[in-house]
Amino acid sequence: MYKSAGNIVSRTGVLYPWPKQLLSACKDAKSISQIHALMIFTGVFSNGDSNGQLIASYARIGDVTSARRVFEESPQRGVVTWNAMIIAYSRNDSPNEVQNLYRRMILEGVRPDSSTFTVTLKACSSLLDLKAGEKIRSQAIDFGYKDDIFVGSSILNLYAKCGKMDEALGIFNGMTKRDLVSWTTMITGFAQSGQPVEAVEVFRRMQIEEIKGDAVLMVGLIQACTNLGDMKLGISVHGYMIRQHLPMDVVVETSLVDMYAKKGLLNLASRVFEKMSYRNVVSWSALMSGFAQNGFAGNALELLIEMQSYGFKPDLVSLVSALLACSQIGFLKLGKSIHGYIVRRVEFDRVSGTAVIDMYSKCGSLSSARILFDRISYRDSISWNAMIASYGIHGHGKEALSLFLQMKLMSQRPDHATFASLLSALSHSGLVEEGRYWFGIMHSDFGIQPSEKHFACMVDLLARAGLVEEAHKLIGSMEDEPGIAVWVALLAGCRNHGKLELGEKVAKKVFELKPNDPGIYALVSNVFALARKWDEVALVRKVMKETGMKKVPGYSVVEVRGKLHAFLMEDKSHPQHHMIAAMLDRLEYEMRAMGYVPRTEYVLHDLDEQVKERMLCNHSERLAIAFGLLNTGPGTRLLITKNLRVCRDCHEATKFISKIVDREIVVRDIKRFHHFKDGVCSCGDYW
C-alpha cells in the first residue's frame, strides 16, 4: 500500500481516494463506517495520522463512543491520534475524560505538543482544577512550550477562570509574545472577577501597543464599564467600536443594552435595542430588567408582552423583572399568573422563589408570601432577608424579629442585609429598645461592622420615635463622614415631630450635599415651609429649576377586576370623574360628622383655607379609593399603591373612610404598608 497523486494504491493494486478527502465529505455514521471499513481493507488503518482523521470524523457527528473505539483499536497512536481523541472529548464537554486521556498519554511516553497542552489546560479551566492545571503548565515548560503563545493564553485563561488574576497578570507581563486572545483573556478575567479598573488599564496598555480589539474583547470591556458605572467611559467604548467598524453581533449589542439600562440611561438602551438586526431572549431580558429596576414598571410589562408576540419565551431573568414590575405597581393578578408560569414552565429556584415572595408582599398579600417562604426547601440568606424585610414594610416588627431569631436557630448566619432589614422593621414598629440592642451587638457578636446603611436605619428608628437629639448624637459618633441617607432620616424625624430648630440646621446640611433626588429637595422645602422660612423655600425651588429637576408628581394606582387604574392629584380626566367627586363629597360629609378635621398645615402653600381643604380632598390616593369603592362589591378589600409618602391628612381620612364603608383599605406608599380597618391603621399612627 502506498500513496500516489492524492490516492491510495492497495496491496492488490486497486486505486482509492485518500481517506481524508472522503471523510471530509461524510455527513453521517453510515458513510463514515464505510470509509472506516475501506481503511481497514486497504491497510491504511495502521497509519496513526489517518486514524486521527477517522476519530475526528466520528466526533464531528457526535459519536464519541465510535471515536473512542477507533482510538483503542489503533495499532499505532502518535500525537495526532491522541490529540484527535482529546479534542473529541473537549468538544463533547467531557473535561474529566480529557484529563484522564492526557495522563495516560504521558504514562505511555507519547510526547505532547502545543495542541495537547492547550486543550488539556482548557479542560482544567472548565473544572476550575487549578492544581492539575499548574502541574500541566510545569510539564509544558519542561517539554519546551514556555513561550508558546497558545499554551500561554490557555494558562492565562486557567488562572482567570479560577479567580487568580494576580498570578495571571504576572504570567501575562512575562510573555514574550501576546495575541488578541491573551489580551481578551486578561480584560474579561478582570471584568468577571470584579476588578473593572484593572480591566480598563489592560485595555489602555493594548491601545498603546496599537492592537485592535474584536467583539469578544469588547464584551469584557463593556462589562467592566458596567461594573464601574462609568458611563462616560462606556459611551467612549461604544464610540470606539463604531469608529473601528467592529462587528456588532447580538452578544455585543446586548452587552451595550445591559450597560445603559443598569445605569438608567434607558433612552440609549432602547435605541441600541431598536437597531439590533437580531435579538435573543437575553436582549429582551436586559432591557426589561433596566426598565423594572429603574421604576418604569409599565414599560417593563409592555416589553414582556411584546417579546412573546415575537415568539420568544420568557426566561428566568425576564420573569423576575416582570415580578419586580408587578411589585412596584401592586399588580397582584398578573403577579399570580407569572408565579404560575414559573411553576409550570421554569425551574422554581431560590432566585425566582425570593422574587415571588417579594411580589406577594409588595402587592399586599403578606400571608401568601409567608406560605411560599415556608415551602422553600432550601432557604439562603437572601430568602430570609426578603421575608424579614416583608414583615418590616407591613409594620410587623415583632414578627420580623421572631423570624430573625428563627434564622439564627437554623444556623443561617445573618449578613449586612439581614441587619438592615431587621433594623428597618424595628424602626417601622417603634421597637426602640430592640433596635438599640441588636445594633449594639452587630459587631461584637456577629463580626459585622455597622455601615452607613445600618446607621441610617438606626437614625430613622430613633427619629421616628421623636428621639431626634439621640439620633443626632449617633450621627456624631460615626467614624466616616455621614452620607445623605443618614441626614435625610434625621430630617424626616424633625419634620414629623415638629423639631424645627434642629430641622432647619439639618435641612441646610442636606441642601449643601446637593442631592440628585427631587423627593429630598421636596422634604427640605417642606421643613423650611413648616418653619415659615419662605426665602429658603424659594432658594430650594430655584436650585431645582436651575438644575432641571422637577418634583415628582404624586399618583396612586388601584387594581379593579385585574386592571390597573392610575390617578393624579386633582385628576379630572377619568370617565367617572363626576361620580368620584360625588363619592368624595359624601365621604367628607360623613367624616366631618364623626369628628374629622382637615389638617391644612400639610398644604405648604400660602392659600385660602377652603382651597387647602379642597386640595387635600383631591389627593390621588383619595381619588383611587373612591373609584375602588364605586367599582367593587361591598366588603371587597382595596389595595392602593402610591409613588410618594401618604400625607398625614390622607392617613387620618382613610381611617375614617374604612369605618364608614366597613372595608379593609390597604395603602402602600414609598416607605411602607398601611392596613386600615374599622377606623384604625396597622401602623398605630407611628409615622
Side-chain angles (χ1 to χ4, degrees), residues 289-309:
S289 179
F291 277 120
Q293 291 177 5
N294 286 281
F296 294 91
N299 300 77
L301 295 176
E302 286 174 5
L303 274 175
L304 177 67
I305 296 169
E306 188 179 352
M307 75 178 282
Q308 291 180 90
S309 72

PDB file of all heavy atoms in Angstrom, residues 289-309:
ATOM      1  N   SER A 289     -35.207  44.285  32.393  1.00  0.00           N
ATOM      2  CA  SER A 289     -34.609  44.445  33.716  1.00  0.00           C
ATOM      3  C   SER A 289     -34.277  45.905  33.988  1.00  0.00           C
ATOM      4  O   SER A 289     -34.496  46.418  35.094  1.00  0.00           O
ATOM      5  CB  SER A 289     -33.349  43.583  33.817  1.00  0.00           C
ATOM      6  OG  SER A 289     -32.730  43.732  35.069  1.00  0.00           O
ATOM      7  N   GLY A 290     -33.758  46.592  32.968  1.00  0.00           N
ATOM      8  CA  GLY A 290     -33.434  48.008  33.128  1.00  0.00           C
ATOM      9  C   GLY A 290     -34.656  48.844  33.440  1.00  0.00           C
ATOM     10  O   GLY A 290     -34.633  49.695  34.345  1.00  0.00           O
ATOM     11  N   PHE A 291     -35.750  48.620  32.709  1.00  0.00           N
ATOM     12  CA  PHE A 291     -36.982  49.365  32.976  1.00  0.00           C
ATOM     13  C   PHE A 291     -37.512  49.065  34.382  1.00  0.00           C
ATOM     14  O   PHE A 291     -37.893  49.966  35.123  1.00  0.00           O
ATOM     15  CB  PHE A 291     -38.045  49.031  31.932  1.00  0.00           C
ATOM     16  CG  PHE A 291     -37.917  49.813  30.655  1.00  0.00           C
ATOM     17  CD1 PHE A 291     -37.726  49.177  29.431  1.00  0.00           C
ATOM     18  CD2 PHE A 291     -37.995  51.196  30.667  1.00  0.00           C
ATOM     19  CE1 PHE A 291     -37.608  49.907  28.256  1.00  0.00           C
ATOM     20  CE2 PHE A 291     -37.882  51.937  29.497  1.00  0.00           C
ATOM     21  CZ  PHE A 291     -37.682  51.290  28.294  1.00  0.00           C
ATOM     22  N   ALA A 292     -37.531  47.783  34.747  1.00  0.00           N
ATOM     23  CA  ALA A 292     -38.081  47.399  36.049  1.00  0.00           C
ATOM     24  C   ALA A 292     -37.249  47.970  37.193  1.00  0.00           C
ATOM     25  O   ALA A 292     -37.792  48.506  38.166  1.00  0.00           O
ATOM     26  CB  ALA A 292     -38.156  45.880  36.157  1.00  0.00           C
ATOM     27  N   GLN A 293     -35.922  47.874  37.093  1.00  0.00           N
ATOM     28  CA  GLN A 293     -35.057  48.323  38.177  1.00  0.00           C
ATOM     29  C   GLN A 293     -34.996  49.836  38.306  1.00  0.00           C
ATOM     30  O   GLN A 293     -34.585  50.347  39.351  1.00  0.00           O
ATOM     31  CB  GLN A 293     -33.656  47.743  37.995  1.00  0.00           C
ATOM     32  CG  GLN A 293     -33.605  46.241  38.207  1.00  0.00           C
ATOM     33  CD  GLN A 293     -32.231  45.649  37.958  1.00  0.00           C
ATOM     34  OE1 GLN A 293     -31.270  46.362  37.702  1.00  0.00           O
ATOM     35  NE2 GLN A 293     -32.148  44.330  38.023  1.00  0.00           N
ATOM     36  N   ASN A 294     -35.400  50.537  37.266  1.00  0.00           N
ATOM     37  CA  ASN A 294     -35.409  51.999  37.325  1.00  0.00           C
ATOM     38  C   ASN A 294     -36.805  52.572  37.542  1.00  0.00           C
ATOM     39  O   ASN A 294     -37.019  53.772  37.383  1.00  0.00           O
ATOM     40  CB  ASN A 294     -34.785  52.581  36.051  1.00  0.00           C
ATOM     41  CG  ASN A 294     -33.281  52.425  36.031  1.00  0.00           C
ATOM     42  OD1 ASN A 294     -32.562  53.185  36.681  1.00  0.00           O
ATOM     43  ND2 ASN A 294     -32.792  51.429  35.311  1.00  0.00           N
ATOM     44  N   GLY A 295     -37.753  51.697  37.916  1.00  0.00           N
ATOM     45  CA  GLY A 295     -39.074  52.174  38.299  1.00  0.00           C
ATOM     46  C   GLY A 295     -40.075  52.329  37.178  1.00  0.00           C
ATOM     47  O   GLY A 295     -41.176  52.853  37.404  1.00  0.00           O
ATOM     48  N   PHE A 296     -39.740  51.888  35.970  1.00  0.00           N
ATOM     49  CA  PHE A 296     -40.667  52.002  34.838  1.00  0.00           C
ATOM     50  C   PHE A 296     -41.384  50.666  34.644  1.00  0.00           C
ATOM     51  O   PHE A 296     -41.150  49.938  33.659  1.00  0.00           O
ATOM     52  CB  PHE A 296     -39.918  52.429  33.576  1.00  0.00           C
ATOM     53  CG  PHE A 296     -39.355  53.819  33.656  1.00  0.00           C
ATOM     54  CD1 PHE A 296     -38.070  54.024  34.127  1.00  0.00           C
ATOM     55  CD2 PHE A 296     -40.123  54.919  33.302  1.00  0.00           C
ATOM     56  CE1 PHE A 296     -37.541  55.301  34.222  1.00  0.00           C
ATOM     57  CE2 PHE A 296     -39.604  56.203  33.389  1.00  0.00           C
ATOM     58  CZ  PHE A 296     -38.307  56.401  33.855  1.00  0.00           C
ATOM     59  N   ALA A 297     -42.234  50.362  35.604  1.00  0.00           N
ATOM     60  CA  ALA A 297     -42.899  49.056  35.628  1.00  0.00           C
ATOM     61  C   ALA A 297     -43.761  48.834  34.388  1.00  0.00           C
ATOM     62  O   ALA A 297     -43.769  47.738  33.811  1.00  0.00           O
ATOM     63  CB  ALA A 297     -43.747  48.933  36.891  1.00  0.00           C
ATOM     64  N   GLY A 298     -44.497  49.844  33.979  1.00  0.00           N
ATOM     65  CA  GLY A 298     -45.380  49.711  32.823  1.00  0.00           C
ATOM     66  C   GLY A 298     -44.609  49.354  31.563  1.00  0.00           C
ATOM     67  O   GLY A 298     -45.021  48.478  30.793  1.00  0.00           O
ATOM     68  N   ASN A 299     -43.472  50.031  31.348  1.00  0.00           N
ATOM     69  CA  ASN A 299     -42.646  49.738  30.170  1.00  0.00           C
ATOM     70  C   ASN A 299     -42.113  48.308  30.209  1.00  0.00           C
ATOM     71  O   ASN A 299     -42.047  47.624  29.189  1.00  0.00           O
ATOM     72  CB  ASN A 299     -41.472  50.720  30.103  1.00  0.00           C
ATOM     73  CG  ASN A 299     -41.919  52.162  30.003  1.00  0.00           C
ATOM     74  OD1 ASN A 299     -42.332  52.746  30.994  1.00  0.00           O
ATOM     75  ND2 ASN A 299     -41.844  52.738  28.820  1.00  0.00           N
ATOM     76  N   ALA A 300     -41.712  47.865  31.415  1.00  0.00           N
ATOM     77  CA  ALA A 300     -41.186  46.506  31.555  1.00  0.00           C
ATOM     78  C   ALA A 300     -42.248  45.472  31.186  1.00  0.00           C
ATOM     79  O   ALA A 300     -41.970  44.502  30.470  1.00  0.00           O
ATOM     80  CB  ALA A 300     -40.694  46.279  32.983  1.00  0.00           C
ATOM     81  N   LEU A 301     -43.477  45.688  31.654  1.00  0.00           N
ATOM     82  CA  LEU A 301     -44.548  44.730  31.371  1.00  0.00           C
ATOM     83  C   LEU A 301     -44.966  44.772  29.899  1.00  0.00           C
ATOM     84  O   LEU A 301     -45.329  43.747  29.318  1.00  0.00           O
ATOM     85  CB  LEU A 301     -45.738  44.996  32.285  1.00  0.00           C
ATOM     86  CG  LEU A 301     -45.468  44.761  33.781  1.00  0.00           C
ATOM     87  CD1 LEU A 301     -46.676  45.145  34.615  1.00  0.00           C
ATOM     88  CD2 LEU A 301     -45.072  43.313  34.039  1.00  0.00           C
ATOM     89  N   GLU A 302     -44.891  45.940  29.292  1.00  0.00           N
ATOM     90  CA  GLU A 302     -45.175  46.038  27.852  1.00  0.00           C
ATOM     91  C   GLU A 302     -44.148  45.235  27.051  1.00  0.00           C
ATOM     92  O   GLU A 302     -44.485  44.564  26.066  1.00  0.00           O
ATOM     93  CB  GLU A 302     -45.151  47.503  27.406  1.00  0.00           C
ATOM     94  CG  GLU A 302     -46.376  48.303  27.844  1.00  0.00           C
ATOM     95  CD  GLU A 302     -46.250  49.778  27.512  1.00  0.00           C
ATOM     96  OE1 GLU A 302     -45.249  50.151  26.854  1.00  0.00           O
ATOM     97  OE2 GLU A 302     -47.125  50.556  27.924  1.00  0.00           O
ATOM     98  N   LEU A 303     -42.883  45.296  27.477  1.00  0.00           N
ATOM     99  CA  LEU A 303     -41.835  44.529  26.806  1.00  0.00           C
ATOM    100  C   LEU A 303     -42.065  43.033  26.947  1.00  0.00           C
ATOM    101  O   LEU A 303     -41.795  42.263  26.023  1.00  0.00           O
ATOM    102  CB  LEU A 303     -40.464  44.891  27.384  1.00  0.00           C
ATOM    103  CG  LEU A 303     -39.757  46.108  26.787  1.00  0.00           C
ATOM    104  CD1 LEU A 303     -38.480  46.401  27.562  1.00  0.00           C
ATOM    105  CD2 LEU A 303     -39.428  45.889  25.315  1.00  0.00           C
ATOM    106  N   LEU A 304     -42.547  42.611  28.108  1.00  0.00           N
ATOM    107  CA  LEU A 304     -42.840  41.193  28.327  1.00  0.00           C
ATOM    108  C   LEU A 304     -43.866  40.699  27.308  1.00  0.00           C
ATOM    109  O   LEU A 304     -43.714  39.620  26.720  1.00  0.00           O
ATOM    110  CB  LEU A 304     -43.357  40.968  29.749  1.00  0.00           C
ATOM    111  CG  LEU A 304     -43.763  39.531  30.095  1.00  0.00           C
ATOM    112  CD1 LEU A 304     -42.547  38.619  30.098  1.00  0.00           C
ATOM    113  CD2 LEU A 304     -44.478  39.483  31.449  1.00  0.00           C
ATOM    114  N   ILE A 305     -44.902  41.502  27.091  1.00  0.00           N
ATOM    115  CA  ILE A 305     -45.946  41.137  26.117  1.00  0.00           C
ATOM    116  C   ILE A 305     -45.385  41.154  24.699  1.00  0.00           C
ATOM    117  O   ILE A 305     -45.622  40.249  23.896  1.00  0.00           O
ATOM    118  CB  ILE A 305     -47.145  42.096  26.240  1.00  0.00           C
ATOM    119  CG1 ILE A 305     -47.798  41.949  27.627  1.00  0.00           C
ATOM    120  CG2 ILE A 305     -48.159  41.847  25.132  1.00  0.00           C
ATOM    121  CD1 ILE A 305     -48.806  43.028  27.952  1.00  0.00           C
ATOM    122  N   GLU A 306     -44.584  42.197  24.403  1.00  0.00           N
ATOM    123  CA  GLU A 306     -44.040  42.346  23.047  1.00  0.00           C
ATOM    124  C   GLU A 306     -43.088  41.204  22.695  1.00  0.00           C
ATOM    125  O   GLU A 306     -43.122  40.666  21.582  1.00  0.00           O
ATOM    126  CB  GLU A 306     -43.315  43.691  22.930  1.00  0.00           C
ATOM    127  CG  GLU A 306     -42.880  44.019  21.518  1.00  0.00           C
ATOM    128  CD  GLU A 306     -42.183  45.371  21.409  1.00  0.00           C
ATOM    129  OE1 GLU A 306     -42.177  46.119  22.410  1.00  0.00           O
ATOM    130  OE2 GLU A 306     -41.629  45.651  20.339  1.00  0.00           O
ATOM    131  N   MET A 307     -42.216  40.820  23.652  1.00  0.00           N
ATOM    132  CA  MET A 307     -41.251  39.757  23.350  1.00  0.00           C
ATOM    133  C   MET A 307     -41.965  38.440  23.058  1.00  0.00           C
ATOM    134  O   MET A 307     -41.529  37.668  22.198  1.00  0.00           O
ATOM    135  CB  MET A 307     -40.237  39.596  24.501  1.00  0.00           C
ATOM    136  CG  MET A 307     -40.731  38.905  25.740  1.00  0.00           C
ATOM    137  SD  MET A 307     -39.432  38.730  27.008  1.00  0.00           S
ATOM    138  CE  MET A 307     -38.500  37.356  26.350  1.00  0.00           C
ATOM    139  N   GLN A 308     -43.075  38.189  23.739  1.00  0.00           N
ATOM    140  CA  GLN A 308     -43.839  36.967  23.480  1.00  0.00           C
ATOM    141  C   GLN A 308     -44.526  37.017  22.119  1.00  0.00           C
ATOM    142  O   GLN A 308     -44.674  35.991  21.449  1.00  0.00           O
ATOM    143  CB  GLN A 308     -44.849  36.746  24.598  1.00  0.00           C
ATOM    144  CG  GLN A 308     -44.193  36.383  25.936  1.00  0.00           C
ATOM    145  CD  GLN A 308     -45.210  36.176  27.036  1.00  0.00           C
ATOM    146  OE1 GLN A 308     -45.707  35.087  27.262  1.00  0.00           O
ATOM    147  NE2 GLN A 308     -45.520  37.256  27.742  1.00  0.00           N
ATOM    148  N   SER A 309     -44.929  38.227  21.718  1.00  0.00           N
ATOM    149  CA  SER A 309     -45.562  38.358  20.401  1.00  0.00           C
ATOM    150  C   SER A 309     -44.575  38.063  19.275  1.00  0.00           C
ATOM    151  O   SER A 309     -44.967  37.704  18.161  1.00  0.00           O
ATOM    152  CB  SER A 309     -46.141  39.771  20.226  1.00  0.00           C
ATOM    153  OG  SER A 309     -45.108  40.729  20.060  1.00  0.00           O
TER     154      SER A 309
END
